[in-house]
Structures are given as C-alpha cells and as structure tokens.
Amino acid sequence: MITASHNPPKYNGYKVYWEDGAQIVSPIDKDIINEVKQVEDYSKIKTMSKEEAIEKGLYNTVLEEIDSKYIEELKKLSLNKDIIKEQSRNLKIVYTPLHGTGAKPVKRILGELGFEQVYVVPEQELPDGNFPTVDYPNPEDPKAFKLAIELAKKVDADIITATDPDADRLGVFAKDSRTGEYKTFTGNMSAMLIAEYVLSQRKEKGILQPNGVFIKTVVSTNLADAIAKGYNLELVEVLTGFKYIGQKIREFEQTGDKTYAFGFEESYGCLVGTHARDKDGITAVMMLCEAAAYYKSKGLTLCDQMDNIYKKYGYYKEAAASITIEGAEGAERIKQIMEDLRKNSPTQIGDYKVKAIKDYSISEAKDLETGKITKIELPVSNVLYYELENDAWCCARPSGTEPKIKFYMGIKETSDEKANEKLEELKQAVLNMIK
C-alpha cells in the first residue's frame, strides 16, 4: 500500500502486507530486504507488461464485490442495530475524511446501519493529496478539525469524527452538554470508550469471549489494563506498531487457545473484530457512532460516558512530547540521547520514584527495588520504559518514520483536575531529563 498517510510527501513510502492481511514482521521483513540488497543492477530486475501481469493473475483491480464483502463484515460487528434505528434521527454526526480515502466507506456503512443525520464536511470530502484546507491532515491535530467544528456548530452535532488520509485512524470531538463546547478525545480516550462499549455489550449479551485477549502497545494507556481486568480478559503488550497486534491475531488463530477481543495503540488506531489485521478507521467510526447512539438512548453524551469510565476505573491521563532534529546530525543527537539515558538511568522523575526500567534493546526489565532482572519476551527495539510509583510511567523511543525522539507518559489520579495537573508536571520533568 503506497501512502504517506498524514505526513508530508517526502515521507511517502509503502506498507507491505503478508498473506494474512497484516503488515510484515520479522523474519519476513528481513528476508525481503536481503533480496533487495542482492540487486546490483536495476536493469537486471525482471519486468513484465501490464497485460501479461493481468493474464497471470498478478495484477488485480479491487472491485465493488470486495467493498460489499467488507461492509457486510462490519455489519456483523454491530451490537445494537435496534438502538441505531431508534436514535437514527436524534444523533447528529459530522464526519471529515480530511481529503483522504474514507468518505465513501464511512458514508456507506453509516447509511446502511441506519444513521440518518450524517454531515460530511463538503470542502474536505473529495480526495486531494495537496490537502488544500489543512496544514497537517492528521486527526491527532485539533487544528485539522476547524471546518468540522464550524459545521458541527451549524447543525448542532453530537459528535465529530475524522479519519486520516489513508483512513486507518480515528479522531474525535464530542459535545459537552454542560458547556456546549466540543471537547477533543485523545487516541487513548476514544479507543477506551469503544472498548468499554464493545466489551460491556458483549458481556450483557453473553458473547464475551471467555479466553479473550485485550492487546495494547507499550506506550498506550494503563486504563486498558484496568478495563481488561474488569472484564476478566488477559492483557497483552506489544511493541509500537499495529503490525504486532496483527501478528498476535494470527498467532491466536494458529494455536486456538486464545481469542482476540480488542486491540489499539495510542496513536489513534484500534481494531474491533478480525476482518482486518491492521487498524481500521472505518470500523472505528462505525463503533464510535453506535456507542454514541447507545449512550444517547441512556441520556448520556460521549463526554458523560468518558467521565463514567474514569469514575469506574480511575483517572488515567496520558501525554506525548517529541523533539524534532533533522539531518545526519539530528540522527546522531537522538542516538546520543538514548545512550545517555541508558548510561545515567534516572531513579526519580519529577515527583515519582522509578520502580523499574525496561530496556527493549536488550530485552531486560530491572526492578530497582530488588535488583531482579527479568527477560522481556518481545522483539528487540530501541525503547526505554520507566515504571513509576502510583501507577505512573514514561517511555522514550526514536520515531521509526520521522527525525524525532518521542516521549510518552501517563498517570493515574483520583480526579480529573488533579490528573491534568500531575500529568503536566510529569511531562515537564521528562523533557527536563534531556536538556
């Protein structure tokens, strides 16, 4: 799949998928690169005409038949079709594909499920790789929602949804009935809202998997751990990258001893169901709208329900920060920062004592209180994770696609106000570590 997603054209590249529909992981990625390295002369690469490729079944056009099969798989995931019909005229949804690929499938699935009040931002509906109405077509960036918020205010929408240009990630704003303002949801928040809805409804209907597994990436919210425990699901952590979640789904199918229940990453991607092996923004829009209809039938907004989740499990809040350093010098500086953190491991970060350090580059976790070292059963990766006291944490890793070093952090508190305050303090403490 050729895409730069929400990134500038200079980051354009391709994602390679394997026969199970998931992005390639080791050892397949290494095998492919080894083949590439053996090419010494481009003129010796075998080629064929388009006609010959079609004749041999190597060139195929994705037709309407595949779209329809995909939409039918999505419909099977719906848990409350009757409530959608009941709320079809009451729930107002604004959606923007941000000039990307999401408009047709999103409009189709929402329409076929019965949602009647769906408003697509007209200026951003058609695909346009120049993204003329936004500086940065990323649903993680609140500025990308400017036109969507204007439309939402005009039609008095309940929720605003956006997918990134290749439609695998979901961004959300929801109207707060107390203030009348539209509040942004982080990727962690929207994923947990969808997860709580899906799992609670499966449990209520008696279809929650008894051997189910909830999967998250190492930099995602610990609220996932609490929700998994609440529904008696096993919580599994994987490295950053949805390909590792896809790898787990395949593993469960091969062994047959576990069942995929839900998976997500903090960067606005999640997957309900196993029809796909990558994050799916279309399914995420569908499930979020269904959840909004369900909670509206109970007299609740999505903001109300998010508050209920925090009250039930604790006020888990997360933040991320990154430092961009371009060029070869930047790459060397980022390498040096990671080396310095390893050589001078902090024992205190802000107000929090460091309880354990996980260094994924050597697959070791060290308990600073006991000195005990345990092996991490994950692929080697240039990631440092600090487990802090009071359920707080932070993590450092260089970006795999951009000239950045990224820092992630999270806390748990007893109130929203205190959580926001402590999170900001921890964020500053983390950034101060590398000055």
Side-chain angles (χ1 to χ4, degrees), residues 70 74 95 102 105-106 109-110 139 161-164 166-171 194 242 268-272 275-276 278-289:
Y70 169 70
L74 265 56
Y95 166 71
V106 165
I109 187 60
L110 294 184
T161 58
T163 49
D164 62 338
D166 54 2
D168 59 359
R169 298 188 300 138
L170 166 70
I194 291 171
F242 220 91
Y268 291 61
C270 70
L271 178 64
V272 179
H275 62 285
D278 208 339
K279 51 188 179 286
D280 183 357
I282 312 303
T283 313
V285 171
M286 179 194 89
M287 294 309 302
L288 188 99
C289 291

PDB file of all heavy atoms in Angstrom, residues 70 74 95 102 105-106 109-110 139 161-164 166-171 194 242 268-272 275-276 278-289:
ATOM      1  N   TYR A  70     -16.587  -6.385   2.563  1.00  0.00           N
ATOM      2  CA  TYR A  70     -16.030  -5.652   3.712  1.00  0.00           C
ATOM      3  C   TYR A  70     -17.144  -5.024   4.535  1.00  0.00           C
ATOM      4  O   TYR A  70     -17.177  -5.150   5.763  1.00  0.00           O
ATOM      5  CB  TYR A  70     -15.061  -4.582   3.197  1.00  0.00           C
ATOM      6  CG  TYR A  70     -14.601  -3.583   4.228  1.00  0.00           C
ATOM      7  CD1 TYR A  70     -13.749  -3.950   5.258  1.00  0.00           C
ATOM      8  CD2 TYR A  70     -15.021  -2.248   4.162  1.00  0.00           C
ATOM      9  CE1 TYR A  70     -13.317  -3.023   6.197  1.00  0.00           C
ATOM     10  CE2 TYR A  70     -14.595  -1.314   5.089  1.00  0.00           C
ATOM     11  CZ  TYR A  70     -13.748  -1.706   6.107  1.00  0.00           C
ATOM     12  OH  TYR A  70     -13.327  -0.788   7.035  1.00  0.00           O
ATOM     13  N   LEU A  74     -18.352  -5.640   8.534  1.00  0.00           N
ATOM     14  CA  LEU A  74     -18.523  -4.577   9.527  1.00  0.00           C
ATOM     15  C   LEU A  74     -19.894  -4.656  10.181  1.00  0.00           C
ATOM     16  O   LEU A  74     -20.019  -4.476  11.399  1.00  0.00           O
ATOM     17  CB  LEU A  74     -18.322  -3.203   8.880  1.00  0.00           C
ATOM     18  CG  LEU A  74     -16.925  -2.594   8.999  1.00  0.00           C
ATOM     19  CD1 LEU A  74     -15.852  -3.524   8.444  1.00  0.00           C
ATOM     20  CD2 LEU A  74     -16.850  -1.252   8.289  1.00  0.00           C
ATOM     21  N   TYR A  95     -18.672  14.268   9.946  1.00  0.00           N
ATOM     22  CA  TYR A  95     -17.516  13.435   9.576  1.00  0.00           C
ATOM     23  C   TYR A  95     -16.680  14.145   8.520  1.00  0.00           C
ATOM     24  O   TYR A  95     -17.206  14.787   7.616  1.00  0.00           O
ATOM     25  CB  TYR A  95     -17.975  12.081   9.026  1.00  0.00           C
ATOM     26  CG  TYR A  95     -16.864  11.328   8.322  1.00  0.00           C
ATOM     27  CD1 TYR A  95     -15.811  10.786   9.056  1.00  0.00           C
ATOM     28  CD2 TYR A  95     -16.832  11.202   6.940  1.00  0.00           C
ATOM     29  CE1 TYR A  95     -14.764  10.120   8.420  1.00  0.00           C
ATOM     30  CE2 TYR A  95     -15.790  10.543   6.294  1.00  0.00           C
ATOM     31  CZ  TYR A  95     -14.766  10.011   7.044  1.00  0.00           C
ATOM     32  OH  TYR A  95     -13.720   9.367   6.416  1.00  0.00           O
ATOM     33  N   GLY A 102     -11.558   8.050   3.099  1.00  0.00           N
ATOM     34  CA  GLY A 102     -12.591   7.486   3.968  1.00  0.00           C
ATOM     35  C   GLY A 102     -14.031   7.785   3.617  1.00  0.00           C
ATOM     36  O   GLY A 102     -14.937   7.106   4.102  1.00  0.00           O
ATOM     37  N   PRO A 105     -16.555   4.698   2.072  1.00  0.00           N
ATOM     38  CA  PRO A 105     -16.893   3.610   3.002  1.00  0.00           C
ATOM     39  C   PRO A 105     -17.582   4.081   4.280  1.00  0.00           C
ATOM     40  O   PRO A 105     -18.480   3.399   4.781  1.00  0.00           O
ATOM     41  CB  PRO A 105     -15.544   2.946   3.303  1.00  0.00           C
ATOM     42  CG  PRO A 105     -14.514   3.946   2.911  1.00  0.00           C
ATOM     43  CD  PRO A 105     -15.098   4.745   1.803  1.00  0.00           C
ATOM     44  N   VAL A 106     -17.197   5.244   4.807  1.00  0.00           N
ATOM     45  CA  VAL A 106     -17.852   5.741   6.027  1.00  0.00           C
ATOM     46  C   VAL A 106     -19.313   6.075   5.756  1.00  0.00           C
ATOM     47  O   VAL A 106     -20.209   5.677   6.503  1.00  0.00           O
ATOM     48  CB  VAL A 106     -17.103   6.972   6.605  1.00  0.00           C
ATOM     49  CG1 VAL A 106     -17.982   7.696   7.632  1.00  0.00           C
ATOM     50  CG2 VAL A 106     -15.801   6.537   7.273  1.00  0.00           C
ATOM     51  N   ILE A 109     -21.284   2.645   5.281  1.00  0.00           N
ATOM     52  CA  ILE A 109     -21.589   1.821   6.459  1.00  0.00           C
ATOM     53  C   ILE A 109     -22.556   2.537   7.393  1.00  0.00           C
ATOM     54  O   ILE A 109     -23.488   1.926   7.916  1.00  0.00           O
ATOM     55  CB  ILE A 109     -20.302   1.381   7.196  1.00  0.00           C
ATOM     56  CG1 ILE A 109     -20.646   0.381   8.309  1.00  0.00           C
ATOM     57  CG2 ILE A 109     -19.539   2.555   7.785  1.00  0.00           C
ATOM     58  CD1 ILE A 109     -21.304  -0.887   7.856  1.00  0.00           C
ATOM     59  N   LEU A 110     -22.380   3.845   7.601  1.00  0.00           N
ATOM     60  CA  LEU A 110     -23.301   4.567   8.480  1.00  0.00           C
ATOM     61  C   LEU A 110     -24.702   4.603   7.874  1.00  0.00           C
ATOM     62  O   LEU A 110     -25.704   4.440   8.590  1.00  0.00           O
ATOM     63  CB  LEU A 110     -22.797   5.990   8.739  1.00  0.00           C
ATOM     64  CG  LEU A 110     -21.487   6.117   9.534  1.00  0.00           C
ATOM     65  CD1 LEU A 110     -21.163   7.590   9.800  1.00  0.00           C
ATOM     66  CD2 LEU A 110     -21.545   5.350  10.853  1.00  0.00           C
ATOM     67  N   PRO A 139      -5.658  13.567  12.253  1.00  0.00           N
ATOM     68  CA  PRO A 139      -6.719  13.646  13.264  1.00  0.00           C
ATOM     69  C   PRO A 139      -6.202  13.784  14.696  1.00  0.00           C
ATOM     70  O   PRO A 139      -6.987  14.002  15.615  1.00  0.00           O
ATOM     71  CB  PRO A 139      -7.504  12.343  13.068  1.00  0.00           C
ATOM     72  CG  PRO A 139      -6.558  11.422  12.389  1.00  0.00           C
ATOM     73  CD  PRO A 139      -5.672  12.278  11.533  1.00  0.00           C
ATOM     74  N   THR A 161     -16.283  13.242  13.868  1.00  0.00           N
ATOM     75  CA  THR A 161     -15.306  12.189  13.628  1.00  0.00           C
ATOM     76  C   THR A 161     -14.464  12.550  12.410  1.00  0.00           C
ATOM     77  O   THR A 161     -14.935  13.204  11.484  1.00  0.00           O
ATOM     78  CB  THR A 161     -15.987  10.833  13.385  1.00  0.00           C
ATOM     79  OG1 THR A 161     -16.881  10.958  12.268  1.00  0.00           O
ATOM     80  CG2 THR A 161     -16.780  10.392  14.611  1.00  0.00           C
ATOM     81  N   ALA A 162     -13.219  12.115  12.425  1.00  0.00           N
ATOM     82  CA  ALA A 162     -12.318  12.345  11.291  1.00  0.00           C
ATOM     83  C   ALA A 162     -11.439  11.122  11.121  1.00  0.00           C
ATOM     84  O   ALA A 162     -11.038  10.485  12.108  1.00  0.00           O
ATOM     85  CB  ALA A 162     -11.446  13.575  11.534  1.00  0.00           C
ATOM     86  N   THR A 163     -11.161  10.780   9.879  1.00  0.00           N
ATOM     87  CA  THR A 163     -10.164   9.751   9.606  1.00  0.00           C
ATOM     88  C   THR A 163      -8.987  10.396   8.896  1.00  0.00           C
ATOM     89  O   THR A 163      -9.135  11.398   8.208  1.00  0.00           O
ATOM     90  CB  THR A 163     -10.732   8.617   8.722  1.00  0.00           C
ATOM     91  OG1 THR A 163     -11.404   9.173   7.588  1.00  0.00           O
ATOM     92  CG2 THR A 163     -11.699   7.753   9.512  1.00  0.00           C
ATOM     93  N   ASP A 164      -7.806   9.824   9.080  1.00  0.00           N
ATOM     94  CA  ASP A 164      -6.629  10.360   8.405  1.00  0.00           C
ATOM     95  C   ASP A 164      -6.689   9.962   6.923  1.00  0.00           C
ATOM     96  O   ASP A 164      -7.567   9.192   6.519  1.00  0.00           O
ATOM     97  CB  ASP A 164      -5.345   9.878   9.089  1.00  0.00           C
ATOM     98  CG  ASP A 164      -5.164   8.374   9.047  1.00  0.00           C
ATOM     99  OD1 ASP A 164      -6.170   7.660   8.889  1.00  0.00           O
ATOM    100  OD2 ASP A 164      -4.020   7.900   9.178  1.00  0.00           O
ATOM    101  N   ASP A 166      -5.298   7.902   4.838  1.00  0.00           N
ATOM    102  CA  ASP A 166      -5.454   6.505   4.428  1.00  0.00           C
ATOM    103  C   ASP A 166      -6.477   5.763   5.287  1.00  0.00           C
ATOM    104  O   ASP A 166      -6.610   4.538   5.210  1.00  0.00           O
ATOM    105  CB  ASP A 166      -4.113   5.764   4.357  1.00  0.00           C
ATOM    106  CG  ASP A 166      -3.299   5.841   5.635  1.00  0.00           C
ATOM    107  OD1 ASP A 166      -3.777   6.434   6.614  1.00  0.00           O
ATOM    108  OD2 ASP A 166      -2.180   5.297   5.653  1.00  0.00           O
ATOM    109  N   ALA A 167      -7.231   6.524   6.070  1.00  0.00           N
ATOM    110  CA  ALA A 167      -8.435   6.036   6.768  1.00  0.00           C
ATOM    111  C   ALA A 167      -8.197   4.844   7.683  1.00  0.00           C
ATOM    112  O   ALA A 167      -9.062   3.983   7.822  1.00  0.00           O
ATOM    113  CB  ALA A 167      -9.537   5.709   5.741  1.00  0.00           C
ATOM    114  N   ASP A 168      -7.057   4.822   8.354  1.00  0.00           N
ATOM    115  CA  ASP A 168      -6.865   3.752   9.333  1.00  0.00           C
ATOM    116  C   ASP A 168      -6.921   4.267  10.774  1.00  0.00           C
ATOM    117  O   ASP A 168      -6.908   3.480  11.713  1.00  0.00           O
ATOM    118  CB  ASP A 168      -5.559   2.979   9.080  1.00  0.00           C
ATOM    119  CG  ASP A 168      -4.303   3.843   9.132  1.00  0.00           C
ATOM    120  OD1 ASP A 168      -4.420   5.064   9.347  1.00  0.00           O
ATOM    121  OD2 ASP A 168      -3.199   3.293   8.944  1.00  0.00           O
ATOM    122  N   ARG A 169      -7.012   5.605  10.945  1.00  0.00           N
ATOM    123  CA  ARG A 169      -7.049   6.158  12.301  1.00  0.00           C
ATOM    124  C   ARG A 169      -8.239   7.085  12.474  1.00  0.00           C
ATOM    125  O   ARG A 169      -8.721   7.685  11.513  1.00  0.00           O
ATOM    126  CB  ARG A 169      -5.744   6.905  12.613  1.00  0.00           C
ATOM    127  CG  ARG A 169      -4.543   5.988  12.557  1.00  0.00           C
ATOM    128  CD  ARG A 169      -3.278   6.652  13.057  1.00  0.00           C
ATOM    129  NE  ARG A 169      -2.950   7.818  12.262  1.00  0.00           N
ATOM    130  CZ  ARG A 169      -2.525   8.973  12.767  1.00  0.00           C
ATOM    131  NH1 ARG A 169      -2.399   9.123  14.064  1.00  0.00           N
ATOM    132  NH2 ARG A 169      -2.235   9.970  11.984  1.00  0.00           N
ATOM    133  N   LEU A 170      -8.694   7.191  13.716  1.00  0.00           N
ATOM    134  CA  LEU A 170      -9.893   7.963  14.045  1.00  0.00           C
ATOM    135  C   LEU A 170      -9.577   9.091  15.021  1.00  0.00           C
ATOM    136  O   LEU A 170      -8.919   8.881  16.040  1.00  0.00           O
ATOM    137  CB  LEU A 170     -10.937   7.034  14.693  1.00  0.00           C
ATOM    138  CG  LEU A 170     -12.118   7.699  15.416  1.00  0.00           C
ATOM    139  CD1 LEU A 170     -13.059   8.364  14.417  1.00  0.00           C
ATOM    140  CD2 LEU A 170     -12.874   6.688  16.266  1.00  0.00           C
ATOM    141  N   GLY A 171     -10.067  10.296  14.697  1.00  0.00           N
ATOM    142  CA  GLY A 171     -10.019  11.429  15.617  1.00  0.00           C
ATOM    143  C   GLY A 171     -11.440  11.805  16.003  1.00  0.00           C
ATOM    144  O   GLY A 171     -12.369  11.672  15.199  1.00  0.00           O
ATOM    145  N   ILE A 194     -14.576   3.053  23.019  1.00  0.00           N
ATOM    146  CA  ILE A 194     -15.055   1.987  22.137  1.00  0.00           C
ATOM    147  C   ILE A 194     -14.904   0.626  22.829  1.00  0.00           C
ATOM    148  O   ILE A 194     -15.815  -0.207  22.795  1.00  0.00           O
ATOM    149  CB  ILE A 194     -14.287   1.998  20.794  1.00  0.00           C
ATOM    150  CG1 ILE A 194     -14.657   3.250  19.994  1.00  0.00           C
ATOM    151  CG2 ILE A 194     -14.583   0.743  19.981  1.00  0.00           C
ATOM    152  CD1 ILE A 194     -13.787   3.473  18.754  1.00  0.00           C
ATOM    153  N   PHE A 242       1.012  -1.372  14.731  1.00  0.00           N
ATOM    154  CA  PHE A 242      -0.153  -2.262  14.734  1.00  0.00           C
ATOM    155  C   PHE A 242       0.164  -3.618  14.119  1.00  0.00           C
ATOM    156  O   PHE A 242      -0.567  -4.595  14.333  1.00  0.00           O
ATOM    157  CB  PHE A 242      -1.328  -1.609  13.984  1.00  0.00           C
ATOM    158  CG  PHE A 242      -2.651  -1.859  14.654  1.00  0.00           C
ATOM    159  CD1 PHE A 242      -3.147  -0.976  15.596  1.00  0.00           C
ATOM    160  CD2 PHE A 242      -3.391  -2.992  14.354  1.00  0.00           C
ATOM    161  CE1 PHE A 242      -4.361  -1.219  16.224  1.00  0.00           C
ATOM    162  CE2 PHE A 242      -4.601  -3.248  14.978  1.00  0.00           C
ATOM    163  CZ  PHE A 242      -5.093  -2.356  15.913  1.00  0.00           C
ATOM    164  N   TYR A 268      -4.177   6.783  17.846  1.00  0.00           N
ATOM    165  CA  TYR A 268      -5.495   6.911  17.228  1.00  0.00           C
ATOM    166  C   TYR A 268      -5.898   5.728  16.351  1.00  0.00           C
ATOM    167  O   TYR A 268      -6.712   5.874  15.445  1.00  0.00           O
ATOM    168  CB  TYR A 268      -5.577   8.218  16.427  1.00  0.00           C
ATOM    169  CG  TYR A 268      -5.575   9.461  17.300  1.00  0.00           C
ATOM    170  CD1 TYR A 268      -4.514   9.754  18.128  1.00  0.00           C
ATOM    171  CD2 TYR A 268      -6.651  10.350  17.311  1.00  0.00           C
ATOM    172  CE1 TYR A 268      -4.488  10.874  18.946  1.00  0.00           C
ATOM    173  CE2 TYR A 268      -6.652  11.478  18.112  1.00  0.00           C
ATOM    174  CZ  TYR A 268      -5.565  11.726  18.936  1.00  0.00           C
ATOM    175  OH  TYR A 268      -5.561  12.838  19.750  1.00  0.00           O
ATOM    176  N   GLY A 269      -5.349   4.555  16.615  1.00  0.00           N
ATOM    177  CA  GLY A 269      -5.715   3.380  15.832  1.00  0.00           C
ATOM    178  C   GLY A 269      -6.232   2.254  16.705  1.00  0.00           C
ATOM    179  O   GLY A 269      -5.664   1.967  17.760  1.00  0.00           O
ATOM    180  N   CYS A 270      -7.336   1.622  16.277  1.00  0.00           N
ATOM    181  CA  CYS A 270      -7.852   0.456  17.001  1.00  0.00           C
ATOM    182  C   CYS A 270      -8.501  -0.500  16.009  1.00  0.00           C
ATOM    183  O   CYS A 270      -8.712  -0.169  14.843  1.00  0.00           O
ATOM    184  CB  CYS A 270      -8.839   0.864  18.099  1.00  0.00           C
ATOM    185  SG  CYS A 270     -10.422   1.505  17.511  1.00  0.00           S
ATOM    186  N   LEU A 271      -8.806  -1.698  16.490  1.00  0.00           N
ATOM    187  CA  LEU A 271      -9.458  -2.698  15.643  1.00  0.00           C
ATOM    188  C   LEU A 271     -10.470  -3.484  16.454  1.00  0.00           C
ATOM    189  O   LEU A 271     -10.127  -4.124  17.449  1.00  0.00           O
ATOM    190  CB  LEU A 271      -8.423  -3.657  15.046  1.00  0.00           C
ATOM    191  CG  LEU A 271      -8.989  -4.788  14.180  1.00  0.00           C
ATOM    192  CD1 LEU A 271      -9.688  -4.229  12.935  1.00  0.00           C
ATOM    193  CD2 LEU A 271      -7.882  -5.769  13.774  1.00  0.00           C
ATOM    194  N   VAL A 272     -11.725  -3.399  16.023  1.00  0.00           N
ATOM    195  CA  VAL A 272     -12.786  -4.258  16.552  1.00  0.00           C
ATOM    196  C   VAL A 272     -12.975  -5.363  15.522  1.00  0.00           C
ATOM    197  O   VAL A 272     -13.133  -5.092  14.334  1.00  0.00           O
ATOM    198  CB  VAL A 272     -14.105  -3.474  16.726  1.00  0.00           C
ATOM    199  CG1 VAL A 272     -15.204  -4.392  17.261  1.00  0.00           C
ATOM    200  CG2 VAL A 272     -13.907  -2.292  17.659  1.00  0.00           C
ATOM    201  N   HIS A 275     -11.728  -9.020  10.921  1.00  0.00           N
ATOM    202  CA  HIS A 275     -11.892  -8.941   9.464  1.00  0.00           C
ATOM    203  C   HIS A 275     -10.674  -8.310   8.813  1.00  0.00           C
ATOM    204  O   HIS A 275     -10.375  -8.537   7.643  1.00  0.00           O
ATOM    205  CB  HIS A 275     -13.121  -8.086   9.126  1.00  0.00           C
ATOM    206  CG  HIS A 275     -12.992  -6.672   9.596  1.00  0.00           C
ATOM    207  ND1 HIS A 275     -13.131  -6.329  10.923  1.00  0.00           N
ATOM    208  CD2 HIS A 275     -12.684  -5.521   8.939  1.00  0.00           C
ATOM    209  CE1 HIS A 275     -12.938  -5.020  11.054  1.00  0.00           C
ATOM    210  NE2 HIS A 275     -12.668  -4.514   9.863  1.00  0.00           N
ATOM    211  N   ALA A 276      -9.945  -7.478   9.587  1.00  0.00           N
ATOM    212  CA  ALA A 276      -8.716  -6.835   9.136  1.00  0.00           C
ATOM    213  C   ALA A 276      -7.606  -7.220  10.103  1.00  0.00           C
ATOM    214  O   ALA A 276      -7.862  -7.743  11.189  1.00  0.00           O
ATOM    215  CB  ALA A 276      -8.886  -5.316   9.105  1.00  0.00           C
ATOM    216  N   ASP A 278      -5.060  -4.842  10.594  1.00  0.00           N
ATOM    217  CA  ASP A 278      -4.425  -3.547  10.799  1.00  0.00           C
ATOM    218  C   ASP A 278      -5.481  -2.637  11.405  1.00  0.00           C
ATOM    219  O   ASP A 278      -6.683  -2.966  11.370  1.00  0.00           O
ATOM    220  CB  ASP A 278      -3.928  -2.975   9.473  1.00  0.00           C
ATOM    221  CG  ASP A 278      -2.727  -2.050   9.643  1.00  0.00           C
ATOM    222  OD1 ASP A 278      -2.529  -1.542  10.764  1.00  0.00           O
ATOM    223  OD2 ASP A 278      -1.999  -1.824   8.656  1.00  0.00           O
ATOM    224  N   LYS A 279      -5.056  -1.531  11.959  1.00  0.00           N
ATOM    225  CA  LYS A 279      -6.036  -0.592  12.498  1.00  0.00           C
ATOM    226  C   LYS A 279      -6.989  -0.165  11.389  1.00  0.00           C
ATOM    227  O   LYS A 279      -6.585  -0.024  10.238  1.00  0.00           O
ATOM    228  CB  LYS A 279      -5.347   0.596  13.145  1.00  0.00           C
ATOM    229  CG  LYS A 279      -4.306   1.295  12.293  1.00  0.00           C
ATOM    230  CD  LYS A 279      -3.565   2.311  13.119  1.00  0.00           C
ATOM    231  CE  LYS A 279      -2.486   3.027  12.311  1.00  0.00           C
ATOM    232  NZ  LYS A 279      -1.301   2.180  12.061  1.00  0.00           N
ATOM    233  N   ASP A 280      -8.250   0.044  11.745  1.00  0.00           N
ATOM    234  CA  ASP A 280      -9.285   0.284  10.741  1.00  0.00           C
ATOM    235  C   ASP A 280     -10.137   1.473  11.160  1.00  0.00           C
ATOM    236  O   ASP A 280     -10.989   1.362  12.037  1.00  0.00           O
ATOM    237  CB  ASP A 280     -10.145  -0.976  10.588  1.00  0.00           C
ATOM    238  CG  ASP A 280     -11.199  -0.841   9.506  1.00  0.00           C
ATOM    239  OD1 ASP A 280     -11.305   0.252   8.902  1.00  0.00           O
ATOM    240  OD2 ASP A 280     -11.922  -1.817   9.252  1.00  0.00           O
ATOM    241  N   GLY A 281      -9.888   2.619  10.516  1.00  0.00           N
ATOM    242  CA  GLY A 281     -10.611   3.835  10.870  1.00  0.00           C
ATOM    243  C   GLY A 281     -12.087   3.777  10.525  1.00  0.00           C
ATOM    244  O   GLY A 281     -12.905   4.421  11.177  1.00  0.00           O
ATOM    245  N   ILE A 282     -12.462   3.014   9.503  1.00  0.00           N
ATOM    246  CA  ILE A 282     -13.869   2.915   9.110  1.00  0.00           C
ATOM    247  C   ILE A 282     -14.663   2.201  10.202  1.00  0.00           C
ATOM    248  O   ILE A 282     -15.724   2.665  10.632  1.00  0.00           O
ATOM    249  CB  ILE A 282     -14.017   2.166   7.763  1.00  0.00           C
ATOM    250  CG1 ILE A 282     -13.042   2.701   6.712  1.00  0.00           C
ATOM    251  CG2 ILE A 282     -15.452   2.233   7.285  1.00  0.00           C
ATOM    252  CD1 ILE A 282     -13.146   4.177   6.424  1.00  0.00           C
ATOM    253  N   THR A 283     -14.128   1.070  10.670  1.00  0.00           N
ATOM    254  CA  THR A 283     -14.785   0.339  11.758  1.00  0.00           C
ATOM    255  C   THR A 283     -14.827   1.180  13.025  1.00  0.00           C
ATOM    256  O   THR A 283     -15.818   1.155  13.767  1.00  0.00           O
ATOM    257  CB  THR A 283     -14.025  -0.976  12.051  1.00  0.00           C
ATOM    258  OG1 THR A 283     -13.766  -1.641  10.833  1.00  0.00           O
ATOM    259  CG2 THR A 283     -14.837  -1.876  12.956  1.00  0.00           C
ATOM    260  N   ALA A 284     -13.748   1.927  13.276  1.00  0.00           N
ATOM    261  CA  ALA A 284     -13.705   2.755  14.479  1.00  0.00           C
ATOM    262  C   ALA A 284     -14.784   3.838  14.441  1.00  0.00           C
ATOM    263  O   ALA A 284     -15.463   4.083  15.448  1.00  0.00           O
ATOM    264  CB  ALA A 284     -12.321   3.399  14.618  1.00  0.00           C
ATOM    265  N   VAL A 285     -14.975   4.492  13.282  1.00  0.00           N
ATOM    266  CA  VAL A 285     -16.045   5.493  13.139  1.00  0.00           C
ATOM    267  C   VAL A 285     -17.396   4.834  13.411  1.00  0.00           C
ATOM    268  O   VAL A 285     -18.232   5.349  14.161  1.00  0.00           O
ATOM    269  CB  VAL A 285     -16.041   6.131  11.735  1.00  0.00           C
ATOM    270  CG1 VAL A 285     -17.284   6.989  11.540  1.00  0.00           C
ATOM    271  CG2 VAL A 285     -14.803   6.985  11.538  1.00  0.00           C
ATOM    272  N   MET A 286     -17.608   3.669  12.793  1.00  0.00           N
ATOM    273  CA  MET A 286     -18.877   2.956  12.951  1.00  0.00           C
ATOM    274  C   MET A 286     -19.169   2.637  14.413  1.00  0.00           C
ATOM    275  O   MET A 286     -20.260   2.900  14.924  1.00  0.00           O
ATOM    276  CB  MET A 286     -18.836   1.663  12.140  1.00  0.00           C
ATOM    277  CG  MET A 286     -20.095   0.822  12.237  1.00  0.00           C
ATOM    278  SD  MET A 286     -19.865  -0.868  11.605  1.00  0.00           S
ATOM    279  CE  MET A 286     -19.304  -1.712  13.101  1.00  0.00           C
ATOM    280  N   MET A 287     -18.169   2.068  15.110  1.00  0.00           N
ATOM    281  CA  MET A 287     -18.395   1.659  16.502  1.00  0.00           C
ATOM    282  C   MET A 287     -18.553   2.863  17.419  1.00  0.00           C
ATOM    283  O   MET A 287     -19.327   2.826  18.381  1.00  0.00           O
ATOM    284  CB  MET A 287     -17.253   0.768  16.992  1.00  0.00           C
ATOM    285  CG  MET A 287     -17.148  -0.572  16.289  1.00  0.00           C
ATOM    286  SD  MET A 287     -18.688  -1.536  16.202  1.00  0.00           S
ATOM    287  CE  MET A 287     -19.108  -1.717  17.928  1.00  0.00           C
ATOM    288  N   LEU A 288     -17.820   3.946  17.132  1.00  0.00           N
ATOM    289  CA  LEU A 288     -17.958   5.138  17.966  1.00  0.00           C
ATOM    290  C   LEU A 288     -19.350   5.742  17.798  1.00  0.00           C
ATOM    291  O   LEU A 288     -19.973   6.154  18.777  1.00  0.00           O
ATOM    292  CB  LEU A 288     -16.892   6.171  17.612  1.00  0.00           C
ATOM    293  CG  LEU A 288     -16.920   7.334  18.611  1.00  0.00           C
ATOM    294  CD1 LEU A 288     -15.839   7.163  19.660  1.00  0.00           C
ATOM    295  CD2 LEU A 288     -16.786   8.664  17.932  1.00  0.00           C
ATOM    296  N   CYS A 289     -19.852   5.779  16.557  1.00  0.00           N
ATOM    297  CA  CYS A 289     -21.197   6.315  16.315  1.00  0.00           C
ATOM    298  C   CYS A 289     -22.256   5.425  16.964  1.00  0.00           C
ATOM    299  O   CYS A 289     -23.239   5.927  17.524  1.00  0.00           O
ATOM    300  CB  CYS A 289     -21.449   6.439  14.813  1.00  0.00           C
ATOM    301  SG  CYS A 289     -20.461   7.731  14.016  1.00  0.00           S
TER     302      CYS A 289
END
